Coordinates of all heavy atoms in Angstrom, one line a residue:
M1 N 100.3 2.8 129.1 CA 99.9 3.0 127.7 C 100.6 4.4 127.4 O 100.4 5.4 128.2 CB 98.4 3.2 127.5 CG 98.1 3.1 126.0 SD 98.3 1.5 125.3 CE 97.0 0.5 126.0
L2 N 101.2 4.6 126.3 CA 101.8 5.8 126.0 C 101.1 6.4 124.8 O 100.5 5.8 124.0 CB 103.3 5.5 125.4 CG 104.3 4.9 126.3 CD1 105.6 4.6 125.6 CD2 104.6 5.7 127.5
T3 N 101.0 7.8 124.9 CA 100.4 8.5 123.7 C 101.6 9.2 122.9 O 102.4 10.1 123.6 CB 99.4 9.6 124.3 OG1 98.4 8.8 124.9 CG2 98.9 10.3 123.2
L4 N 101.7 8.8 121.8 CA 102.8 9.4 120.9 C 102.1 10.7 120.2 O 101.1 10.7 119.6 CB 103.3 8.5 119.9 CG 104.4 7.5 120.3 CD1 103.7 6.5 121.4 CD2 105.0 6.7 119.2
K5 N 103.1 11.6 120.1 CA 102.7 12.9 119.4 C 103.8 13.3 118.5 O 104.9 13.1 118.6 CB 102.5 14.1 120.4 CG 101.3 14.0 121.4 CD 101.3 15.1 122.3 CE 100.1 15.1 123.2 NZ 99.9 16.2 124.1
C6 N 103.3 14.0 117.3 CA 104.3 14.6 116.3 C 105.0 15.7 117.0 O 104.4 16.5 117.7 CB 103.5 14.9 115.2 SG 104.4 15.9 114.0
S7 N 106.4 15.7 116.7 CA 107.1 16.9 117.4 C 107.1 18.1 116.6 O 107.3 19.1 117.1 CB 108.6 16.3 117.5 OG 109.2 16.2 116.2
A8 N 106.6 18.0 115.3 CA 106.4 19.1 114.6 C 105.1 19.9 114.7 O 105.2 21.1 114.9 CB 106.5 18.8 113.0
C9 N 104.1 19.3 114.8 CA 102.7 19.9 114.9 C 102.1 19.5 116.2 O 100.9 20.1 116.5 CB 101.8 19.6 113.8 SG 101.2 18.0 113.7
R10 N 102.6 18.6 117.0 CA 102.0 18.2 118.3 C 100.7 17.5 118.3 O 100.0 17.2 119.1 CB 101.9 19.4 119.2 CG 103.3 20.0 119.5 CD 103.1 21.1 120.6 NE 104.5 21.6 121.0 CZ 105.3 21.0 122.0 NH1 104.7 20.0 122.6 NH2 106.4 21.5 122.4
A11 N 100.4 17.0 117.1 CA 99.2 16.2 116.9 C 99.3 14.9 117.5 O 100.4 14.3 117.5 CB 98.7 16.1 115.4
K12 N 98.3 14.3 118.0 CA 98.4 13.0 118.6 C 98.5 12.0 117.4 O 97.8 12.1 116.4 CB 97.2 12.6 119.3 CG 97.1 13.3 120.7 CD 95.8 13.0 121.4 CE 95.7 13.6 122.8 NZ 94.4 13.4 123.4
L13 N 99.4 11.0 117.5 CA 99.7 10.1 116.5 C 98.8 8.7 116.8 O 98.0 8.4 116.1 CB 101.1 9.8 116.4 CG 102.0 10.9 115.9 CD1 103.5 10.6 116.0 CD2 101.8 11.3 114.5
W14 N 99.3 8.1 117.9 CA 98.6 6.8 118.2 C 99.0 6.5 119.7 O 99.9 7.1 120.3 CB 98.9 5.6 117.4 CG 100.5 5.4 117.1 CD1 101.2 4.6 117.9 CD2 101.3 5.7 116.1 NE1 102.5 4.5 117.6 CE2 102.6 5.3 116.3 CE3 101.0 6.3 114.9 CZ2 103.6 5.4 115.5 CZ3 102.1 6.6 114.1 CH2 103.4 6.0 114.3
K15 N 98.2 5.5 120.3 CA 98.5 5.0 121.6 C 99.3 3.8 121.4 O 99.0 2.9 120.4 CB 97.2 4.7 122.4 CG 96.7 6.0 123.0 CD 95.5 5.5 123.9 CE 94.6 6.5 124.5 NZ 95.5 7.3 125.6
Y16 N 100.2 3.5 122.2 CA 101.2 2.4 122.1 C 101.3 1.7 123.4 O 101.6 2.4 124.4 CB 102.5 2.9 121.6 CG 103.4 1.6 121.2 CD1 103.0 0.7 120.5 CD2 104.7 1.5 121.9 CE1 103.8 -0.4 120.2 CE2 105.4 0.5 121.7 CZ 105.1 -0.4 120.9 OH 105.9 -1.5 120.6
Y17 N 101.1 0.5 123.5 CA 101.3 -0.3 124.6 C 102.8 -0.8 124.7 O 103.2 -1.8 124.0 CB 100.3 -1.5 124.6 CG 100.4 -2.5 125.8 CD1 100.1 -2.0 127.1 CD2 101.0 -3.7 125.8 CE1 100.2 -2.8 128.2 CE2 101.1 -4.5 126.9 CZ 100.7 -4.1 128.1 OH 100.8 -4.9 129.2
K18 N 103.6 0.1 125.4 CA 105.1 -0.4 125.5 C 105.3 -1.2 126.6 O 104.9 -1.0 127.8 CB 105.8 0.9 125.5 CG 107.3 0.6 125.8 CD 108.1 1.7 125.4 CE 109.6 1.4 125.3 NZ 110.1 0.1 125.8
I19 N 106.1 -2.4 126.3 CA 106.5 -3.4 127.4 C 107.9 -3.2 127.6 O 108.8 -3.0 126.7 CB 106.2 -4.7 126.8 CG1 104.6 -4.9 126.7 CG2 106.8 -5.7 127.9 CD1 104.4 -6.3 125.9
G20 N 108.4 -2.9 128.9 CA 109.7 -2.8 129.4 C 110.2 -1.3 129.3 O 109.5 -0.5 128.7
P21 N 111.4 -1.2 129.9 CA 111.9 0.2 130.2 C 112.6 0.5 128.8 O 112.7 -0.3 127.8 CB 112.8 0.0 131.3 CG 113.3 -1.4 131.1 CD 112.1 -2.2 130.7
G22 N 113.1 1.8 128.8 CA 114.0 2.2 127.6 C 113.2 3.0 126.7 O 112.0 3.4 126.8
E23 N 113.9 3.5 125.7 CA 113.4 4.3 124.6 C 112.4 3.7 123.8 O 112.4 2.5 123.6 CB 114.5 4.8 123.8 CG 115.7 5.7 124.5 CD 115.2 7.0 124.7 OE1 114.9 7.8 123.6 OE2 114.9 7.4 125.7
V24 N 111.5 4.5 123.1 CA 110.5 4.0 122.1 C 111.4 4.0 120.9 O 111.6 5.1 120.2 CB 109.3 4.8 122.1 CG1 108.4 4.3 121.0 CG2 108.6 4.7 123.5
L25 N 111.9 2.9 120.3 CA 112.7 2.9 119.1 C 111.8 2.4 118.1 O 111.9 2.7 116.9 CB 113.8 2.0 119.3 CG 114.8 2.5 120.3 CD1 116.0 1.5 120.5 CD2 115.3 3.9 120.0
R26 N 110.9 1.5 118.4 CA 109.9 0.9 117.4 C 108.6 0.7 118.0 O 108.5 0.4 119.2 CB 110.5 -0.4 116.9 CG 111.2 -1.3 117.8 CD 111.7 -2.7 117.3 NE 112.8 -2.5 116.6 CZ 113.6 -3.5 116.2 NH1 113.2 -4.8 116.4 NH2 114.7 -3.4 115.4
C27 N 107.6 0.7 117.1 CA 106.2 0.4 117.6 C 105.7 -0.8 116.8 O 105.5 -0.8 115.6 CB 105.4 1.5 117.3 SG 105.6 3.1 118.3
H28 N 105.5 -1.9 117.7 CA 105.0 -3.1 117.1 C 103.5 -2.9 116.9 O 102.7 -2.4 117.7 CB 105.1 -4.4 118.0 CG 106.7 -4.5 118.3 ND1 107.2 -5.6 117.5 CD2 107.5 -4.1 119.1 CE1 108.6 -5.6 117.8 NE2 108.8 -4.8 118.8
R29 N 103.1 -3.3 115.6 CA 101.7 -2.9 115.1 C 100.7 -3.6 116.1 O 99.6 -3.0 116.2 CB 101.6 -3.4 113.7 CG 102.4 -2.5 112.7 CD 102.1 -2.9 111.3 NE 103.0 -2.0 110.4 CZ 102.7 -0.9 110.0 NH1 101.6 -0.3 110.4 NH2 103.6 -0.2 109.3
D30 N 101.0 -4.8 116.5 CA 100.0 -5.5 117.3 C 99.8 -4.8 118.7 O 98.9 -5.2 119.5 CB 100.2 -7.0 117.5 CG 101.5 -7.4 118.1 OD1 102.3 -6.3 118.4 OD2 101.9 -8.5 118.2
R31 N 100.7 -3.9 119.1 CA 100.6 -3.1 120.3 C 100.1 -1.7 120.2 O 100.0 -0.8 121.1 CB 101.9 -3.2 121.2 CG 102.0 -4.7 121.7 CD 103.1 -4.7 122.9 NE 104.3 -5.4 122.4 CZ 105.5 -5.0 122.5 NH1 105.7 -3.7 122.9 NH2 106.5 -5.7 122.1
I32 N 99.9 -1.3 119.0 CA 99.3 0.1 118.6 C 97.8 -0.1 118.8 O 97.1 -0.9 118.2 CB 99.7 0.5 117.2 CG1 101.2 0.7 117.2 CG2 98.9 1.8 116.8 CD1 101.6 1.0 115.8
R33 N 97.3 0.8 119.7 CA 95.8 0.6 120.1 C 95.1 1.7 119.3 O 94.6 1.4 118.2 CB 95.7 0.9 121.4 CG 96.4 -0.3 122.3 CD 95.7 -1.5 122.1 NE 96.1 -2.5 123.0 CZ 97.1 -3.5 122.7 NH1 97.7 -3.5 121.5 NH2 97.4 -4.5 123.6
K34 N 94.9 2.9 119.8 CA 94.1 3.9 119.1 C 95.0 4.7 118.1 O 96.1 5.2 118.5 CB 93.5 4.9 120.1 CG 92.6 5.9 119.6 CD 92.0 6.7 120.7 CE 91.1 7.7 120.2 NZ 90.0 7.3 119.3
V35 N 94.4 5.0 117.0 CA 95.3 5.7 115.9 C 94.5 7.0 115.6 O 93.4 6.9 115.2 CB 95.4 4.8 114.7 CG1 96.2 5.7 113.6 CG2 96.3 3.6 115.0
W36 N 95.2 8.1 115.7 CA 94.7 9.4 115.3 C 95.2 9.7 113.8 O 94.6 10.2 113.0 CB 94.9 10.4 116.2 CG 94.2 10.4 117.7 CD1 93.0 10.8 117.9 CD2 94.8 9.9 118.9 NE1 92.6 10.6 119.1 CE2 93.7 10.1 119.7 CE3 96.0 9.2 119.2 CZ2 93.9 9.6 121.1 CZ3 96.1 8.9 120.5 CH2 95.0 9.1 121.5
C37 N 96.7 9.7 113.9 CA 97.3 10.0 112.6 C 98.2 8.9 112.2 O 99.2 8.6 113.0 CB 98.0 11.3 112.8 SG 97.1 12.8 112.7
M38 N 98.2 8.4 111.1 CA 99.1 7.4 110.6 C 99.0 7.2 109.1 O 98.1 6.4 108.6 CB 99.1 6.1 111.3 CG 100.2 5.1 110.9 SD 99.8 3.5 111.5 CE 100.7 3.4 113.0
E39 N 99.7 8.0 108.3 CA 99.5 8.0 106.9 C 100.7 7.3 106.5 O 101.9 7.7 106.6 CB 99.5 9.4 106.3 CG 98.3 10.1 106.9 CD 98.1 11.5 106.2 OE1 98.9 11.9 105.5 OE2 97.1 12.2 106.7
E40 N 100.5 6.2 105.6 CA 101.6 5.4 105.1 C 101.7 5.5 103.7 O 100.7 5.3 102.9 CB 101.3 3.9 105.5 CG 101.2 3.8 107.1 CD 101.4 2.4 107.5 OE1 102.3 1.7 107.0 OE2 100.6 1.9 108.5
R41 N 102.9 5.8 103.2 CA 103.3 5.8 101.8 C 104.7 5.7 101.6 O 105.5 6.1 102.4 CB 102.6 7.0 101.1 CG 103.3 8.3 101.6 CD 102.6 9.5 100.8 NE 103.2 10.8 101.1 CZ 102.7 11.5 102.3 NH1 101.7 11.1 102.9 NH2 103.3 12.7 102.6
D42 N 105.2 4.9 100.5 CA 106.4 4.8 100.1 C 107.2 4.1 101.3 O 108.5 4.5 101.4 CB 107.1 6.1 99.7 CG 106.3 6.7 98.5 OD1 105.8 5.9 97.6 OD2 106.3 7.9 98.4
G43 N 106.6 3.3 102.0 CA 107.4 2.6 103.1 C 107.6 3.5 104.3 O 108.5 3.1 105.1
K44 N 107.0 4.6 104.4 CA 107.3 5.5 105.5 C 105.9 5.8 106.1 O 104.9 5.7 105.5 CB 107.9 6.9 105.1 CG 109.4 6.6 104.7 CD 110.0 8.0 104.3 CE 111.4 7.9 103.8 NZ 112.0 9.1 103.3
V45 N 106.0 6.2 107.4 CA 104.8 6.6 108.1 C 104.8 8.1 108.4 O 105.8 8.6 109.0 CB 104.7 5.8 109.4 CG1 103.5 6.2 110.2 CG2 104.7 4.3 109.1
F46 N 103.8 8.8 108.0 CA 103.8 10.3 108.3 C 102.6 10.7 109.2 O 101.6 10.1 109.2 CB 103.5 11.0 106.9 CG 104.6 10.7 105.8 CD1 104.5 9.6 105.1 CD2 105.7 11.6 105.7 CE1 105.5 9.4 104.1 CE2 106.6 11.4 104.7 CZ 106.5 10.3 104.0
C47 N 102.9 11.8 109.9 CA 101.8 12.5 110.4 C 101.0 13.2 109.4 O 101.5 13.4 108.2 CB 102.5 13.6 111.5 SG 101.2 14.7 112.3
S48 N 99.8 13.7 109.9 CA 99.1 14.3 108.8 C 99.6 15.7 108.3 O 99.3 16.3 107.3 CB 97.6 14.6 109.3 OG 97.6 15.4 110.5
C49 N 100.5 16.3 109.1 CA 101.1 17.5 108.7 C 102.3 17.3 107.8 O 102.9 18.2 107.2 CB 101.8 18.2 110.0 SG 103.3 17.4 110.6
G50 N 102.7 16.0 107.4 CA 103.7 15.7 106.5 C 105.1 15.3 107.0 O 105.9 15.0 106.4
K51 N 105.2 15.4 108.3 CA 106.4 15.0 108.9 C 106.5 13.5 109.0 O 105.6 12.7 109.3 CB 106.4 15.5 110.5 CG 107.5 15.0 111.4 CD 108.6 16.0 111.2 CE 109.7 15.7 112.3 NZ 110.9 16.5 112.0
A52 N 107.6 13.0 108.5 CA 107.9 11.5 108.5 C 108.3 11.1 110.0 O 109.3 11.6 110.6 CB 109.0 11.1 107.7
V53 N 107.5 10.2 110.7 CA 107.8 10.0 112.0 C 108.3 8.4 112.1 O 108.8 8.2 113.3 CB 106.4 10.0 112.8 CG1 105.9 11.5 113.0 CG2 105.3 9.1 112.2
G54 N 108.3 7.7 111.1 CA 108.8 6.5 111.2 C 109.0 5.8 109.8 O 108.5 6.2 108.8
I55 N 109.4 4.5 109.9 CA 109.6 3.8 108.6 C 109.0 2.3 108.9 O 109.1 1.7 109.8 CB 111.1 3.4 108.4 CG1 111.8 4.8 108.3 CG2 111.3 2.6 107.2 CD1 113.5 4.7 108.3
D56 N 108.2 2.0 107.8 CA 107.5 0.7 107.8 C 108.4 -0.4 107.8 O 109.1 -0.5 106.8 CB 106.4 0.7 106.7 CG 105.7 -0.7 106.6 OD1 105.5 -1.2 107.6 OD2 105.4 -1.0 105.5
K57 N 108.3 -1.3 108.8 CA 109.2 -2.5 108.7 C 108.4 -3.6 108.8 O 108.7 -4.8 109.2 CB 110.2 -2.5 110.0 CG 111.2 -1.4 109.9 CD 112.4 -1.7 108.9 CE 113.4 -0.6 108.9 NZ 114.3 -1.0 107.8
G58 N 107.2 -3.7 108.3 CA 106.2 -4.8 108.3 C 105.5 -5.0 109.5 O 104.4 -4.3 109.8
S59 N 105.9 -5.8 110.5 CA 105.2 -5.9 111.8 C 105.4 -4.9 112.8 O 104.8 -4.9 113.8 CB 105.7 -7.4 112.4 OG 107.0 -7.2 112.7
F60 N 106.3 -4.0 112.5 CA 106.6 -2.8 113.4 C 107.0 -1.6 112.7 O 107.4 -1.7 111.4 CB 107.6 -3.1 114.4 CG 109.0 -3.4 113.9 CD1 109.9 -2.3 113.8 CD2 109.4 -4.6 113.7 CE1 111.2 -2.4 113.3 CE2 110.7 -4.8 113.2 CZ 111.7 -3.8 113.0
V61 N 106.9 -0.4 113.2 CA 107.3 0.9 112.7 C 108.6 1.3 113.5 O 108.5 1.4 114.7 CB 106.2 1.8 112.9 CG1 106.6 3.3 112.3 CG2 104.9 1.5 112.2
K62 N 109.6 1.5 112.6 CA 110.8 1.9 113.2 C 110.6 3.5 113.3 O 110.6 4.1 112.3 CB 112.0 1.5 112.3 CG 113.3 2.0 112.7 CD 114.5 1.5 112.0 CE 115.9 1.8 112.4 NZ 116.1 3.3 112.4
M63 N 110.8 4.0 114.5 CA 110.5 5.3 114.8 C 111.7 6.3 114.5 O 112.8 5.9 114.8 CB 110.0 5.6 116.4 CG 108.8 4.7 116.5 SD 107.3 5.0 115.5 CE 107.0 6.8 116.0
N64 N 111.4 7.4 113.9 CA 112.5 8.4 113.7 C 112.7 9.2 114.9 O 111.8 9.9 115.4 CB 112.1 9.4 112.6 CG 112.0 8.8 111.2 OD1 112.6 7.7 111.0 ND2 111.3 9.3 110.2
K65 N 113.8 9.2 115.5 CA 114.2 9.8 116.7 C 114.1 11.3 116.5 O 114.6 11.9 115.4 CB 115.8 9.4 117.1 CG 115.8 9.5 118.5 CD 117.3 8.9 118.9 CE 117.4 9.0 120.5 NZ 118.8 8.6 121.0
G66 N 113.4 11.9 117.4 CA 113.3 13.3 117.4 C 112.0 13.8 116.6 O 111.7 15.0 116.7
A67 N 111.4 12.9 115.9 CA 110.2 13.2 115.2 C 108.9 13.2 115.9 O 107.9 13.4 115.5 CB 110.0 12.3 113.8
F68 N 109.0 12.6 117.2 CA 107.9 12.5 118.0 C 108.2 12.6 119.4 O 109.3 12.5 119.9 CB 107.3 11.0 117.7 CG 108.2 9.9 118.3 CD1 107.9 9.2 119.5 CD2 109.3 9.5 117.5 CE1 108.7 8.2 119.9 CE2 110.2 8.5 118.0 CZ 109.8 7.8 119.2
T69 N 107.2 12.9 120.2 CA 107.3 12.8 121.7 C 106.4 11.8 122.2 O 105.4 11.5 121.6 CB 107.1 14.2 122.3 OG1 105.7 14.6 121.9 CG2 108.1 15.2 121.7
Y70 N 106.5 11.6 123.6 CA 105.5 10.7 124.0 C 105.2 11.0 125.5 O 106.1 11.5 126.2 CB 105.8 9.1 123.8 CG 107.1 8.8 124.4 CD1 107.2 8.4 125.8 CD2 108.2 8.6 123.6 CE1 108.4 7.9 126.2 CE2 109.4 8.1 124.1 CZ 109.5 7.9 125.3 OH 110.7 7.4 125.9
S71 N 104.1 10.7 126.0 CA 103.8 10.8 127.5 C 103.0 9.5 128.0 O 102.4 8.8 127.1 CB 103.0 12.1 127.6 OG 101.8 12.1 127.0
G72 N 102.9 9.4 129.2 CA 102.2 8.2 129.6 C 103.1 7.2 130.4 O 104.2 7.8 130.7
T73 N 102.7 6.1 130.6 CA 103.4 5.2 131.5 C 103.9 4.0 130.6 O 103.1 3.4 129.9 CB 102.6 4.7 132.6 OG1 101.4 4.0 132.2 CG2 102.3 5.7 133.6
K74 N 105.0 3.5 130.9 CA 105.5 2.2 130.4 C 105.1 1.1 131.3 O 105.3 1.2 132.5 CB 107.0 2.2 130.2 CG 107.5 3.3 129.3 CD 109.0 3.5 129.2 CE 109.4 4.7 128.4 NZ 110.8 5.0 128.6
D75 N 104.7 0.1 130.7 CA 104.2 -1.1 131.5 C 105.5 -2.0 131.6 O 106.1 -2.5 130.7 CB 103.2 -1.9 130.9 CG 101.9 -1.0 130.7 OD1 101.2 -1.1 131.7 OD2 101.8 -0.3 129.7
T76 N 105.9 -2.3 132.9 CA 107.2 -2.9 133.1 C 107.1 -4.4 133.3 O 108.2 -5.1 133.5 CB 107.9 -2.3 134.4 OG1 107.0 -2.3 135.3 CG2 108.3 -0.8 134.0
T77 N 105.9 -5.0 133.3 CA 105.8 -6.4 133.5 C 105.7 -7.1 132.1 O 105.4 -6.6 131.2 CB 104.5 -6.8 134.2 OG1 103.4 -6.1 133.5 CG2 104.7 -6.2 135.7
Ligands
LIG1 ZN1 102.6 16.5 112.6

């Protein structure tokens, strides 16, 4: 499970169950677990500080590179 944080204010955004190796480019909504900050308006996803961290694509959020950091483990199975 990965914990995503805003790169601007370092607030926790949400926990994400990532499958497979590689970069976190998108977050599928059905694998987002715990949410601390996720403000959605005008088709974008913001941190509570106002930083745009992603774009709403319906079933997933396309993440803005550099707008977030993450820690934790990727599940490779
Ligand atoms: Zn923030």
Side-chain angles (χ1 to χ4, degrees):
M1 197 71 73
L2 300 177
T3 298
L4 277 68
K5 292 181 181 178
C6 172
S7 63
C9 72
R10 298 184 171 276
K12 289 180 183 174
L13 296 171
W14 56 78
K15 277 187 186 288
Y16 183 58
Y17 181 68
K18 177 151 184 2
I19 297 172
E23 294 283 296
V24 177
L25 300 175
R26 40 178 77 171
C27 285
H28 294 269
R29 291 182 187 275
D30 58 0
R31 287 195 248 129
I32 292 172
R33 296 295 188 261
K34 182 176 175 61
V35 175
W36 291 278
C37 283
M38 184 188 267
E39 297 181 4
E40 302 194 45
R41 59 181 182 273
D42 302 327
K44 292 182 182 175
V45 179
F46 297 87
C47 174
S48 59
C49 74
K51 176 86 173 173
V53 295
I55 300 166
D56 173 35
K57 292 287 186 180
S59 64
F60 64 89
V61 177
K62 184 175 182 292
M63 300 305 293
N64 289 340
K65 204 169 187 189
F68 67 101
T69 60
Y70 57 86
S71 59
T73 56
K74 296 169 185 172
D75 298 272
T76 53
T77 53

